[in-house]
Amino acid sequence: MGRNQILREILSDEEIMDKYKINKKELDSITTNAPYHKKVVEVLSVIINENDNHLNSSMIYKKLKNVHNI
Amino acid sequence: MASIINSISFKNFFNYYGDYDDTRYEFEEGVNIVVADNGAGKSKFFNAFLWLFYDQVLDSDDKQKKSVKDFAVKIISDKAKKETSIGEQVQTGIKIEYSTGLFKYQIVKSFTATRISEKITDFDSWQITIDDIEIDKTDHVLPKYKPVYDADEKQKIISKLILPTLRQYSFFQGEEVDKMIDFNKKSSIEDAVRTLTNISKYEEIADIVKEIAEKAEKDLNKQTKSTSEHNDRLEQAIGLKKVLQDKFSQESEKLGEFNNLYESAEQEKNDLERNFANAEKRKELDDKISNKRKILNQVKEDYDSFLDGINNRFFDGNFSWISLGFEGSVNEFKNKIKDYRQKRYEKQALLNAAENPNDYFTLLPVNSPDAVTLDQMIEGEHCYVCDRPAEEGSEAHNYLLKLKNRPNEDSSRREFVKNDLEDFFGNLQLNSAPFLNKFESIPTSVLRTREKELELKKRLDKLSSEMKALVSQRKDILIAGTDSERKDTASDIINQYKGAIRRMEQASSRIERLQDSIKGLKSKILTTEKEITNLRPKDIPKGFTINYEISKDLVEASLNAQERVFDKMVSLLENHANEHFQNLIKYNDIKGGVLRFDKSPSGGISLDYIDELGNEVSGASEGFQRMKKFAVVMSIISANTSQYNYPLLADAPLSAFGKAFNKGFFEAIPNVFPQSLILVKDLYDKDSEDKLTDLGQQLIKNDYIKTFYINEVDEELPQIERTTKIERRK
Amino acid sequence: MNSQEFKSNLVTKRPRYANSRIPLLEALANKGSRSSEYSQFGPIYELYIYAMMIGIKKKNRLPLPPRNITSDFLEIGKWKRDSSLVDFLLMVIFTQTDDINFDWNELEDMEEEQLNKVISEVVTIIEEYANGGLEYLENLYEKGELENSHYMFIDLYNN
């Protein structure tokens, strides 16, 4: 699935994997669908999914605020 | 899934005269070859696809694309035009059938022309209406086609045959093979990468993430402000960061601009380099053309005056064609004048006898016969006067001799006729001499005249076609961006060139400075950010900080990901391209170079051709140049991960390739393209038994080659009668 | 009348042609001034001579229509002035025994008046053979059977 591919590609970034403690096995299994085991995964998944739903950045940000409870 | 073209048919389209069924090509998966000499329908094939996709055709005279509607009259078959009287209509169109895995489609594009006046080639003599596009579809189960009515669906079906972004990699038109992928244009490979990957998605995500990060930062700062602990230093730091950030954006923008400037200056430099080479070539051709024209005009003059002179040969005494067939009259005349003279003499003699009866019996009359008759009598040993023999040695004979030799005593010639016409008739004979002795030579003379004419004509034709070739070559030379009428002198170009180089240098130094500055800013921003993080109050709701952290990290990560995806694809293309390239050139003795895709600062891609030491290979033969491009094109298909395939429609200039390339080419192509339609002229040999060259005969036997057509045009017929005849050989 | 006078009287005559032949003359003569799809002769007299000779070859002698619908042109003596072409033509004419109902020797005894009549007859012969030849060409021209090549005239002549 394109979205999963994009998710994994972006998160495969060395610094991200380091900082957020994502290992390879985990990386290969994450998808843009819930449940999300890490916040960073959730945030990016929301962005990717809602972009495909044609939401703009303001609308996506609103959703993210909910994710962070702010 | 691949789209496969099943058939292409033409109706009254350029040289293809007749209805769709009359000019129909059926194709299969694999390699299909159409052999056509120039003018026998080769480029018309491409025009069908140009019409299909862009409603255009290529005008072979000025090599420009023209809209179908505007150019319609020239598209209609000459023969069909001729057969259409005023008030009647003729239809011209193309019909293409293609299949995907699921469906089979039939697309018909046509227009109707009504003749409204006399001059058949005038655009004003015809009224053109473009017909609605007809598309029918069927699944492979039912044999019948069902019409498609929805306009959007129709367009989709047409696009699906070859996707718009991939079209430039799908069909290569003849001499424009060089333009097909213009490696000087940075976008040419980018477009391919874009289509083959979902890089646009990455760009979208990166943009969104950036905006979100900005918002997150704003919110965090707002939050920071609203907590109780008021921190001047923090505020300063935040302010500073903003300033630095703004500066950073500004400079990044400027950097982008200068990169573009640099690239456009570089592009101009490259074009000028090409142009300069072209300018020299142009001048060379111009000189050749004007010399040839001089000779051509002279020969034409000679030829015309020769033709004018042909009929003069009737009346010119040197040729005397007018006397042909009149030998009889000439002989008649000789006889008649002899009789006439004879009678005259007799008359004269009788008159003398009447007047001098005495003399008559003993002597020859005083008014002696003329010298001619006298000679005749002496020779013939016979006296005509008294009609009795005068043998040599006899008295009569001696007397004749004496007469002959005696001085003319009697000068006054008695007139014995009223009108002495001796001179009249005698002179006719004398004067006509030039016309009297040519009879036998006239047929030869006519023959020689014909031969000379043919010789001159041959010479004239040869010069004309050489001229045409030169002019065509001249037209093909691209003059990037300049008005072709303007005289590009070498010094103009050199000045422009110097200007371009100067701009490149200026841009380059600015770029360097900006890059340094940006680097500096970046590290300053980082430091400031660290400071801000340290100074931030610890009692801000975690959500805000996390929001900010994550989005900031994602900004970097998404940009990196975008770049990785792009680079991966370029690398993949590079590998595939080199593989194909090696396959294409494998039968060549010369070791080719290696293809390398290079990224330019502004993100474009250029194709380099380097040897093993990493140096640019220059001066590669045309065959290698063409193979480079084919290799890239093939890589776009084979590196394609989206399973989308499309047919290759190519004009293969096999003679430019050379034998070794041909082998490599025909082996490699079917391994990459599920279907290819190759149009060639180099396999046509009109003098050979089966009209094919050796290579053609080889290819037709090859299993890879699935269909094989030969197009022929009858050059004996006048232009307006010429049509293309299609012959299927396989 | 002596030889000189006889010849002079003869060659100062201007033969006539039927006006109805004018389209044909324009199509097949006067090249350079009027263009035509067909091969052309230069001045009209060239075509006239050609027609006359064809007429003689094909034994096609056709009397002219009434004088008022005929026109004359260049006098015989001026045809190809510096060549002996006219002598050759006269030679041919004077051997047409079927047409010449006089004997060369008879001429020498004729009165001037009679001799002038003979001269007129000779001109008539020229005119009528030319007319016949032109008619033959006209037929081909109208039926579109004229060969469209530079060798049209010599091919016709060769038949």
Side-chain angles (χ1 to χ4, degrees), chain B residues 37 183-184 277 306 364 460:
Chain B
D37 210 349
F183 289 132
N184 290 322
F306 180 80
L364 282 173
L460 192 63

Side-chain angles (χ1 to χ4, degrees), chain B residues 429-441:
Chain B
Q429 190 175 31
L430 280 174
N431 292 339
S432 321
F435 293 91
L436 300 183
N437 53 10
K438 301 272 193 325
F439 304 111
E440 287 180 3
S441 61

Side-chain angles (χ1 to χ4, degrees), chain B residues 583-646:
Chain B
N583 279 337
L584 286 169
I585 67 174
K586 82 176 170 202
Y587 294 106
N588 270 276
D589 295 328
I590 307 172
K591 217 166 88 115
V594 166
L595 302 173
R596 198 179 61 191
F597 291 175
D598 249 349
K599 213 156 68 162
S600 74
S602 56
I605 301 176
S606 60
L607 177 69
D608 295 323
Y609 185 43
I610 55 175
D611 64 19
E612 48 233 353
L613 299 172
N615 301 319
E616 184 105 25
V617 175
S618 62
S621 78
E622 199 175 346
F624 276 99
Q625 302 285 7
R626 299 255 158 106
M627 287 307 157
K628 260 199 308 183
K629 299 191 177 177
F630 274 114
V632 170
V633 159
M634 288 159 81
S635 72
I636 290 171
I637 298 247
S638 61
N640 190 342
T641 49
S642 71
Q643 304 291 304
Y644 177 78
N645 279 314
Y646 48 85

Side-chain angles (χ1 to χ4, degrees), chain B residues 286-346:
Chain B
D286 279 339
D287 285 341
K288 272 197 202 155
I289 287 176
S290 98
N291 281 340
K292 193 131 276 197
R293 185 164 283 139
K294 266 194 221 131
I295 300 176
L296 184 64
N297 285 342
Q298 184 59 51
V299 173
K300 182 136 211 311
E301 234 179 88
D302 290 343
Y303 182 66
D304 284 342
S305 60
F306 180 80
L307 288 181
D308 279 346
I310 289 182
N311 286 334
N312 285 342
R313 294 180 177 201
F314 277 100
F315 313 108
D316 184 334
N318 292 320
F319 297 94
S320 161
W321 285 4
I322 194 84
S323 60
L324 184 66
F326 284 95
E327 299 95 310
S329 296
V330 173
N331 288 331
E332 261 295 303
F333 190 87
K334 279 199 189 133
N335 291 333
K336 277 180 94 108
I337 204 173
K338 187 160 153 217
D339 284 344
Y340 160 76
R341 283 176 172 155
Q342 168 64 6
K343 287 209 202 121
R344 270 170 54 101
Y345 173 73
E346 287 173 10

Side-chain angles (χ1 to χ4, degrees), chain B residues 234 559 627 675 693 714:
Chain B
L234 179 59
L559 284 174
M627 287 307 157
Q675 180 190 45
T693 62
D714 189 348

Side-chain angles (χ1 to χ4, degrees), chain B residues 223-477:
Chain B
Q223 200 58 21
T224 307
K225 257 219 185 107
S226 69
T227 59
S228 50
E229 235 180 279
H230 187 71
N231 196 331
D232 264 342
R233 267 176 71 197
L234 179 59
E235 220 172 292
Q236 246 178 19
I238 290 176
L240 179 62
K241 179 171 174 200
K242 182 131 204 317
V243 167
L244 288 171
Q245 206 118 41
D246 285 343
K247 197 143 185 245
F248 181 84
S249 307
Q250 262 174 24
E251 307 231 315
S252 299
E253 215 180 292
K254 261 202 229 141
L255 180 64
E257 278 170 25
F258 278 104
N259 272 328
N260 285 337
L261 269 172
Y262 180 87
E263 267 178 24
S264 70
E266 189 181 42
Q267 171 92 331
E268 191 177 330
K269 161 181 165 279
N270 289 338
D271 284 347
L272 286 168
E273 273 173 356
R274 212 168 18 136
N275 199 5
F276 188 66
N278 282 348
E280 291 201 317
K281 186 141 196 256
R282 278 207 311 282
K283 175 134 202 322
E284 191 188 315
L285 276 176
D286 279 339
D287 285 341
K288 272 197 202 155
I289 287 176
S290 98
N291 281 340
K292 193 131 276 197
R293 185 164 283 139
K294 266 194 221 131
I295 300 176
L296 184 64
N297 285 342
Q298 184 59 51
V299 173
K300 182 136 211 311
E301 234 179 88
D302 290 343
Y303 182 66
D304 284 342
S305 60
F306 180 80
L307 288 181
D308 279 346
I310 289 182
N311 286 334
N312 285 342
R313 294 180 177 201
F314 277 100
F315 313 108
D316 184 334
N318 292 320
F319 297 94
S320 161
W321 285 4
I322 194 84
S323 60
L324 184 66
F326 284 95
E327 299 95 310
S329 296
V330 173
N331 288 331
E332 261 295 303
F333 190 87
K334 279 199 189 133
N335 291 333
K336 277 180 94 108
I337 204 173
K338 187 160 153 217
D339 284 344
Y340 160 76
R341 283 176 172 155
Q342 168 64 6
K343 287 209 202 121
R344 270 170 54 101
Y345 173 73
E346 287 173 10
K347 232 189 235 180
Q348 203 169 30
L350 278 174
L351 196 63
N352 284 334
E355 291 180 350
N356 302 301
N358 298 329
D359 289 346
Y360 182 71
F361 295 106
T362 54
L363 293 169
L364 282 173
V366 172
N367 293 353
S368 356
D370 60 295
V372 174
T373 320
L374 192 57
D375 280 338
Q376 280 174 350
M377 290 195 291
I378 291 172
E379 266 231 49
E381 296 174 51
H382 190 99
C383 176
Y384 296 151
V385 181
C386 18
D387 197 20
R388 60 175 184 190
E391 284 141 355
E392 199 173 342
S394 67
E395 207 185 282
H397 196 259
N398 289 335
Y399 189 70
L400 287 174
L401 284 171
K402 238 184 11 188
L403 261 184
K404 183 175 172 187
N405 298 323
R406 112 176 171 192
N408 202 354
E409 290 174 14
D410 202 322
S411 51
S412 66
R413 280 255 221 100
R414 256 284 276 301
E415 277 194 14
F416 64 102
V417 284
K418 229 192 215 108
N419 316 297
D420 193 334
L421 298 178
E422 162 61 46
D423 283 346
F424 173 73
F425 290 107
N427 286 339
L428 282 190
Q429 190 175 31
L430 280 174
N431 292 339
S432 321
F435 293 91
L436 300 183
N437 53 10
K438 301 272 193 325
F439 304 111
E440 287 180 3
S441 61
I442 292 179
T444 325
S445 162
V446 175
L447 196 63
R448 262 202 242 119
T449 306
R450 292 191 124 110
E451 284 171 4
K452 176 129 198 251
E453 192 229 332
L454 282 176
E455 216 181 279
L456 282 172
K457 181 118 209 310
K458 215 165 124 187
R459 181 137 196 253
L460 192 63
D461 285 345
K462 179 159 179 265
L463 285 171
S464 290
S465 69
E466 284 172 5
M467 183 69 156
K468 214 170 157 212
L470 283 175
V471 171
S472 177
Q473 264 184 58
R474 175 70 174 71
K475 270 205 212 132
D476 280 343
I477 297 179

Side-chain angles (χ1 to χ4, degrees), chain A residues 5-6 9-10 12-13 16 19-20 39-40 43-44 47-48 51-52 57-58 60-61 64-65 68 70, chain B residues 198 201-202 204-205 208-209 211-212 215-216 219 543-544 546-547 549-550 553 557 560-561 564 568:
Chain A
Q5 184 198 41
I6 296 178
E9 183 69 53
I10 295 179
S12 70
D13 189 283
I16 299 257
K19 182 166 175 184
Y20 295 94
K39 259 294 174 317
V40 66
V43 168
L44 189 53
I47 293 175
I48 291 173
N51 178 47
D52 279 352
S57 58
S58 315
I60 296 179
Y61 187 67
L64 289 177
K65 291 223 294 213
H68 292 296
I70 51 179
Chain B
N198 45 5
K201 266 285 177 312
Y202 285 92
E204 283 170 24
I205 305 284
I208 293 175
V209 166
E211 284 172 29
I212 287 178
K215 291 193 216 285
D219 278 350
F544 286 96
I546 293 180
N547 186 19
E549 285 288 327
I550 290 182
D553 291 334
N560 290 341
R564 271 198 309 276
K568 247 194 258 176

